[in-house]
Amino acid sequence: MSGITISAATAPKIAVVGLGYVGLPLAVEFAAGLPVVGFDIKQERIDELRGGCDSTLETEEAVLRERSVSENPFVTGASGLYVTSELEELSGANVYVVTVPTPTDKNNRPDLTPLLKASESVGRVLKRGDIVVYESTVYPGATEEECVPVLERVSGLRMDVDFSVGYSPERINPGDKLHTVTRIQKVTSGSNLEAAAVIDRLYGSVIEAGTHLAPSIKVAEAAKVIENSQRDINIAFVNELARIFNRMEIDTLDVLEAAGTKWNFLPFKPGLVGGHCIGVDPYYLAQKAQEVGYHPEIILAGRRLNDGMGAYVASEVVKMLIRGNSCVKGARVLVLGITFKENCPDIRNSRVIDIIRELQEYGCEVDVADPWASADEVAHEYRLALLGDMKAIRPGYQAVVAAVGHREFAKLDPRCWLVDGGVVYDVKGIYDRNIVDRRL
């Protein structure tokens, strides 16, 4: 087959569908030299971006303002980023990049609803010769088995006859200002050789770290989903070590520091495993494995252990209160942090909520402080009210749980909020051992 994709001589006109942690940074990079239209179904997100503000903090506001344009560049022919919630304004694109989330449901089953709805939207404006590239994390085969049929049904076109498809998994690390989108090597793939070459060349034009062209879409999908499954399993191992060493009254971080003197020891630390990737992606691989008749024992065992760490931390705090002769029911506990990781406003799939809910089940009165999180988002997602300014927090707590390692917390002495005999549990190891009662 030939001639169905945009050629090297044709200037790419890029539509990015989904302007969150993944889509916006990519759209901004492409917009440095190409016409880009960013689409998001949330009008409030469009409004804030048009005002030059990115609440995810993944894009510098000065760069966002510099590369934003007020008119659709597909019409004007200029480079720059134009954002919209109107699907019709994407119709001038010849490359569609889909960057919507792929969560799991309450039973930890993959939920492809956002991805399939995005595919329906793209299908409505898809034309002959266009390319659709998916970046959302999925199980191997999902792009061609789930997304392509939607594109074909809605558009009336056929893949590799009328349009092409690619997969280039996102590798965004929220809050990481060193490993930004252009500094992480990008895996690319396409449904045919011509499309694969065009997609690889397109990403190579903005990715400073270079690209790796995978031999197929399924290989690229599999590569992505095992990246985070591998990290999940390694963290589960050190979380299990932390439980063992706790019973032996050995400081886990001391053990890891000593073991880390060997050149090939992997530097993983115990902790809560949440967020949009590590705590979710293994379920996508597990689901597909079970569909083909294999029960993934190690993957699911790691997930069970990591998903249980919040309840474990809460139970350890309760034991410390009891040993200190504090009444658990009605005990005031201050939890520092609700985002899924340090120095980042992302609260998606934060496992800190497991600590909070478990403590509440024991009858504790839990307050939560986080200078990075949006109070409105936390109230909507977790039905929790955040404390206000950190400086306004008053002493009187029986326990402080340092759940997230924000730099603001590291500068404080958590004992200043405790009553006599109160305890500090340091999940992230951000404090000197001399001022905490227990580190995970």
Side-chain angles (χ1 to χ4, degrees):
M1 54 137 283
S2 63
I4 68 161
T5 66
I6 60 173
S7 68
T10 303
K13 298 178 181 179
I14 302 173
V16 177
V17 180
L19 295 175
Y21 284 82
V22 175
L24 181 65
L26 184 66
V28 168
E29 291 302 328
F30 278 134
L34 294 171
V36 180
V37 174
F39 172 82
D40 201 285
I41 60 174
K42 297 179 180 178
Q43 185 59 47
E44 59 269 28
R45 176 63 168 162
I46 298 301
D47 292 341
E48 78 167 42
L49 293 177
R50 285 179 175 174
C53 176
D54 172 25
S55 59
T56 70
L57 306 181
E58 290 301 304
T59 302
E60 294 182 11
E61 291 189 5
V63 177
L64 176 60
R65 291 176 185 273
E66 175 189 341
R67 297 184 184 173
S68 294
V69 293
S70 58
E71 295 183 67
N72 191 322
F74 297 164
V75 177
T76 64
S79 63
L81 172 63
Y82 175 78
V83 296
T84 182
S85 59
E86 300 295 329
L87 183 63
E88 296 75 18
E89 297 199 84
L90 304 186
S91 60
N94 51 27
V95 178
Y96 294 87
V97 182
V98 180
T99 60
V100 297
T102 43
T104 54
D105 64 17
K106 63 180 181 180
N107 297 312
N108 292 322
R109 292 176 299 198
D111 181 5
L112 295 178
T113 302
L115 194 60
L116 298 180
K117 287 187 176 296
S119 297
E120 289 181 358
S121 296
V122 172
R124 294 191 184 100
V125 290
L126 194 63
K127 308 177 299 302
R128 181 177 174 82
D130 289 349
I131 296 177
V132 183
V133 183
Y134 289 91
E135 290 213 357
S136 308
T137 302
V138 291
Y139 53 77
T143 299
E144 291 157 297
E145 297 167 9
E146 303 289 345
C147 300
V148 168
V150 174
L151 293 173
E152 292 181 330
R153 173 177 55 81
V154 176
S155 69
L157 305 174
R158 292 176 59 195
M159 184 184 76
D160 287 347
V161 174
D162 302 304
F163 67 93
S164 299
V165 171
Y167 183 77
S168 181
E170 59 90 0
R171 280 178 165 171
I172 290 291
N173 186 24
D176 190 337
K177 300 307 179 184
L178 177 61
H179 302 98
T180 54
V181 62
T182 63
R183 297 173 182 169
I184 304 174
Q185 189 171 15
K186 203 83 162 69
V187 174
T188 64
S189 64
S191 58
N192 58 75
L193 293 177
E194 292 174 76
V198 171
I199 292 167
D200 190 67
R201 187 165 57 246
L202 178 62
Y203 278 102
S205 68
V206 295
I207 304 298
E208 299 171 10
T211 60
H212 173 86
L213 180 56
S216 70
I217 287 175
K218 284 186 178 180
V219 167
E221 291 169 326
K224 170 57 182 178
V225 81
I226 71 166
E227 289 176 10
N228 291 318
S229 297
Q230 182 186 66
R231 286 185 56 80
D232 193 44
I233 292 168
N234 278 297
I235 297 171
F237 172 60
V238 294
N239 275 336
E240 188 162 64
L241 291 179
R243 292 189 180 203
I244 294 171
F245 293 145
N246 176 44
R247 295 193 174 206
M248 300 171 69
E249 297 185 351
I250 300 174
D251 190 300
T252 305
L253 297 184
D254 285 346
V255 176
L256 294 176
E257 183 180 359
T261 59
K262 190 168 187 281
W263 77 92
N264 60 352
F265 185 81
L266 300 178
F268 288 92
K269 292 183 178 181
L272 305 175
V273 182
H276 68 301
C277 287
I278 302 178
V280 173
D281 296 354
Y283 288 120
Y284 276 78
L285 182 57
Q287 170 84 7
K288 191 61 178 180
Q290 291 169 332
E291 287 180 4
V292 297
Y294 182 83
H295 180 71
E297 297 184 23
I298 294 177
I299 294 171
L300 291 178
R303 277 283 74 235
R304 284 193 297 272
L305 197 145
N306 284 339
D307 275 351
M309 289 306 292
Y312 171 77
V313 168
S315 69
E316 290 298 298
V317 172
V318 167
K319 291 175 186 177
M320 292 164 63
L321 289 171
I322 293 172
R323 284 195 292 267
N325 296 317
S326 293
C327 180
V328 174
K329 185 175 182 180
R332 296 186 64 215
V333 180
L334 174 62
V335 174
L336 299 177
I338 187 62
T339 64
F340 92 90
K341 65 181 293 188
E342 65 276 4
N343 307 322
C344 170
D346 195 347
I347 65 168
R348 292 175 297 171
N349 192 36
S350 172
R351 299 331 312 161
V352 178
I353 191 65
D354 298 337
I355 300 176
I356 297 167
R357 297 296 186 227
E358 192 74 8
L359 288 171
Q360 290 173 333
E361 285 290 316
Y362 280 108
C364 298
E365 297 178 5
V366 183
D367 289 336
V368 183
D370 194 318
W372 284 81
S374 163
D376 290 340
E377 288 184 11
V378 171
H380 177 266
E381 186 71 18
Y382 300 118
R383 300 186 304 281
L384 285 175
L386 290 182
L387 294 178
D389 190 340
M390 294 289 298
K391 296 179 180 179
I393 300 175
R394 296 289 178 261
Y397 293 97
Q398 278 72 41
V400 173
V401 180
V404 184
H406 293 320
R407 51 178 171 262
E408 289 87 349
F409 297 154
K411 299 175 182 177
L412 300 171
D413 180 356
R415 305 201 74 84
C416 71
W417 296 306
L418 294 176
V419 298
D420 289 341
V423 297
V424 176
Y425 192 102
D426 187 359
V427 175
K428 297 294 292 183
I430 61 174
Y431 296 119
D432 187 279
R433 77 184 70 200
N434 296 322
I435 67 170
V436 301
D437 298 277
R438 178 65 57 81
R439 300 195 298 188
L440 179 60

